[in-house]
Amino acid sequence: DLTDTTTTKEADEKYLADLTATCQQKASDFESRQQLRAEEIEAIQKAIEILSSDAVKGNAEKYLPSFAQKAGSSLAQLRSSAADVPQQRVAEFLRVQGRHLNSRVLSALAVRVADDPFAKVKKMIKDLIVRLMEEANEEAEHKGWCDTELSTNEQTRKEKTEAVETLHAEIDELESSIAKLTEDISELTKAVAELDTAMAEATKLRQEEKTKNEQTIADAGEAQTAVAQALTVLKEFYAKAGEATALVQQDPTAPEIFSSPYKGLASENGGVIGMLEVIETDFARLEADTTAAEATSEKEYDDFMSDSRVDKAAKNSDIGHKTTEKQDKEQDLTSKEADLEGTQKELDAALAYYDKLKPSCVDAGVSYDDRVSRRKEEIESLQEALRILNGEDIA
């Protein structure tokens, strides 16, 4: 494959070199022919001048009538050739200008000028000048319209692009805020639920504790009453017993039986009365301690419930505010999304219109100034061609 490609490449390069050489040779030959043609035209003009003088034409008519007839025919041919001189010069001028300006209009006209009649050539050039000037005016008007439309469209695209970017940023911020508010509301709602649970549990425990304490206080009070009654009974008994034994011992005739008044269990280890008094004191202390504990618990419960209610109210208020704020932001988000949709459509329409303007308004390869300059040079070349045809530049 490499060998075939190399061989083909070498053959192509040789063909290109031969073709370039041939073209250069033909171009050189053409220039030479053009030079000869110009010299021929100059010689013909001089011959016409000589043959038209009295030295030739006058004597020929006087002495050589037949020659005069032939000379007249020759002069007519020469004049015909001379008449073609401006036309040929115009054709060459247009060909050179067409190649110089890279103008297909001038190049095509050069071919027509060389072949068409003289009068038709002049009319064709004039018509072409008119057409080019009309095109220039139309393009100038179109350029003004394009400049206005492109400027307006660019401003619209810029404004709508900025608006779309701003709306996207605002929507992102709103979505973030709504998500944060939703999370905050959820946490606050959970905290309120936990507070309700804690308050309900505290109320239950407080009620149970209060019931127990009230029962304990009641039992302690009842016990104290009972012990007090028992103490009264025992004290009255032992008092009567002591009096009885004392009276008996006062009788001088009675034999001595007991050495002291009867005290029974009242005197052993502090006695039953002492024991009951201790019990009575214990019940009294139980009642006092339970009463104090109940008061403390009740206060703690009241404080806890009061704080919880305040905390719950604050959280519910916060939930309300955040819910309202969330609703406002959600409405704002809906509005912004609608604005974004509308603005995006407007931007898309502006972009589509810009694409529509591009083929006729945005320069593609050749700028407007270059087109104006080339058209101006084409018109000037055509006007110069007319002057040549009119003989204005022939000495």
Side-chain angles (χ1 to χ4, degrees), residues 47-218:
I48 291 172
E49 292 174 2
I50 294 171
L51 291 175
S52 298
S53 66
D54 292 336
V56 176
K57 184 179 179 182
N59 291 327
E61 291 176 350
K62 182 178 181 181
Y63 298 105
L64 301 172
S66 61
F67 175 76
Q69 184 179 1
K70 292 180 181 179
S73 177
S74 298
L75 285 172
Q77 292 178 1
L78 286 173
R79 287 191 183 95
S80 176
S81 297
D84 290 341
V85 171
Q87 195 165 335
Q88 294 298 328
R89 288 183 61 192
V90 167
E92 174 61 18
F93 173 74
L94 292 175
R95 185 188 65 77
V96 172
Q97 288 296 100
R99 185 172 58 188
H100 172 67
L101 299 177
N102 193 26
S103 171
R104 288 181 294 179
V105 173
L106 296 183
S107 297
L109 184 61
V111 177
R112 297 286 302 277
V113 166
D115 298 334
D116 290 346
F118 182 82
K120 185 176 180 180
V121 168
K122 290 182 68 175
K123 183 177 184 306
M124 185 167 48
I125 292 176
K126 290 179 180 179
D127 291 344
L128 187 56
I129 290 174
V130 171
R131 194 187 81 186
L132 289 175
M133 294 180 70
E134 289 175 348
E135 287 181 357
N137 291 333
E138 291 174 359
E139 186 169 12
E141 292 177 0
H142 183 68
K143 176 66 165 53
W145 178 83
C146 282
D147 289 344
T148 301
E149 292 298 309
L150 286 172
S151 176
T152 302
N153 181 261
E154 181 182 11
Q155 183 66 24
T156 300
R157 285 185 287 117
K158 181 180 178 182
E159 290 177 356
K160 299 306 177 184
T161 299
E162 291 176 352
V164 166
E165 292 174 351
T166 300
L167 285 169
H168 272 300
E170 291 176 346
I171 287 173
D172 290 342
E173 184 178 354
L174 284 171
E175 288 177 340
S176 177
S177 297
I178 290 171
K180 183 65 171 62
L181 287 169
T182 301
E183 182 181 357
D184 291 345
I185 291 170
S186 177
E187 291 179 354
L188 286 168
T189 303
K190 182 181 178 182
V192 168
E194 291 174 350
L195 274 175
D196 287 337
T197 301
M199 290 168 69
E201 183 67 20
T203 300
K204 178 183 176 182
L205 293 175
R206 175 84 279 272
Q207 191 62 44
E208 292 175 352
E209 184 183 22
K210 182 177 182 180
T211 300
K212 181 181 177 182
N213 287 338
E214 288 177 346
Q215 185 63 47
T216 300
I217 292 170

Side-chain angles (χ1 to χ4, degrees), residues 167 171 332-344:
L167 285 169
I171 287 173
D332 196 14
L333 176 61
T334 301
S335 176
K336 295 292 184 184
E337 288 175 339
D339 290 345
L340 175 61
E341 182 179 0
T343 306
Q344 185 64 55

Side-chain angles (χ1 to χ4, degrees), residues 340-351:
L340 175 61
E341 182 179 0
T343 306
Q344 185 64 55
K345 287 181 180 179
E346 292 174 354
L347 176 59
D348 292 341
L351 291 171

Side-chain angles (χ1 to χ4, degrees), residues 135-334:
E135 287 181 357
N137 291 333
E138 291 174 359
E139 186 169 12
E141 292 177 0
H142 183 68
K143 176 66 165 53
W145 178 83
C146 282
D147 289 344
T148 301
E149 292 298 309
L150 286 172
S151 176
T152 302
N153 181 261
E154 181 182 11
Q155 183 66 24
T156 300
R157 285 185 287 117
K158 181 180 178 182
E159 290 177 356
K160 299 306 177 184
T161 299
E162 291 176 352
V164 166
E165 292 174 351
T166 300
L167 285 169
H168 272 300
E170 291 176 346
I171 287 173
D172 290 342
E173 184 178 354
L174 284 171
E175 288 177 340
S176 177
S177 297
I178 290 171
K180 183 65 171 62
L181 287 169
T182 301
E183 182 181 357
D184 291 345
I185 291 170
S186 177
E187 291 179 354
L188 286 168
T189 303
K190 182 181 178 182
V192 168
E194 291 174 350
L195 274 175
D196 287 337
T197 301
M199 290 168 69
E201 183 67 20
T203 300
K204 178 183 176 182
L205 293 175
R206 175 84 279 272
Q207 191 62 44
E208 292 175 352
E209 184 183 22
K210 182 177 182 180
T211 300
K212 181 181 177 182
N213 287 338
E214 288 177 346
Q215 185 63 47
T216 300
I217 292 170
D219 291 343
E222 185 179 354
Q224 288 180 76
T225 300
V227 171
Q229 291 174 352
L231 281 172
T232 300
V233 170
L234 290 175
K235 286 179 178 179
E236 289 177 352
F237 168 77
Y238 287 121
K240 290 179 180 180
E243 291 176 357
T245 55
L247 291 172
V248 172
Q249 290 176 358
Q250 289 178 0
D251 185 358
T253 61
E256 185 177 349
I257 300 174
F258 300 103
S259 59
S260 63
Y262 180 80
K263 295 181 179 179
L265 295 176
S267 62
E268 293 183 4
N269 298 322
V272 66
I273 292 177
M275 182 183 67
L276 289 175
E277 288 175 344
V278 171
I279 292 173
E280 184 182 27
T281 302
D282 290 340
F283 276 119
R285 185 169 58 251
L286 174 62
E287 182 182 8
D289 291 345
T290 304
T291 300
E294 170 63 18
T296 301
S297 297
E298 183 67 22
K299 183 178 184 307
E300 290 176 351
Y301 169 76
D302 290 341
D303 290 343
F304 170 76
M305 292 299 289
S306 177
D307 293 343
S308 297
R309 290 189 187 96
V310 171
D311 190 17
K312 179 181 177 180
K315 283 181 169 56
N316 282 328
S317 177
D318 204 5
I319 289 173
H321 292 153
K322 288 182 181 294
T323 300
T324 301
E325 184 180 1
K326 178 184 175 184
Q327 291 172 347
D328 291 342
K329 288 186 179 294
E330 286 174 339
Q331 291 178 354
D332 196 14
L333 176 61
T334 301

